Amino acid sequence: MIPHLPRSSEPTATEAGVWADVLVRRRLLHAAVLTPTGQWLLQDHPDGPVRVLAGPADVLALAATIQHHTRSTRPESR
């Protein structure tokens, strides 16, 4: 496993947008929308509550959490 390297810069809205798009396309999120204020509105399921994330760093943290959960629950990773 490759060790986690610290970031040299803050995540950008573009980077967060790419991750949000991947999560929606893979159906790990129902919707992810960037607001004009820089906040992100996320919805896990069509009828689920809307979560508000403060910015790109929060989107990347969510993507990392989802990725970790997905990888740790695969049968071949146990």
Side-chain angles (χ1 to χ4, degrees):
M1 182 190 227
I2 299 171
H4 175 73
L5 299 175
R7 290 186 62 96
S8 61
S9 64
E10 289 295 313
T12 64
T14 301
E15 185 179 7
V18 170
W19 275 107
D21 184 51
V22 167
L23 294 173
V24 171
R25 278 190 289 119
R26 299 266 181 178
R27 295 189 174 124
L28 297 167
L29 287 177
H30 173 69
V33 177
L34 175 61
T35 68
T37 64
Q39 293 177 317
W40 286 83
L41 305 178
L42 302 177
Q43 193 174 26
D44 294 332
H45 306 285
D47 296 329
V50 174
R51 291 188 284 168
V52 179
L53 299 184
D58 292 332
V59 175
L60 268 62
L62 175 65
T65 299
I66 291 171
Q67 186 177 43
H68 176 75
H69 176 74
T70 301
R71 288 182 174 177
S72 67
T73 57
R74 285 186 194 159
E76 65 270 11
S77 67
R78 290 184 184 171

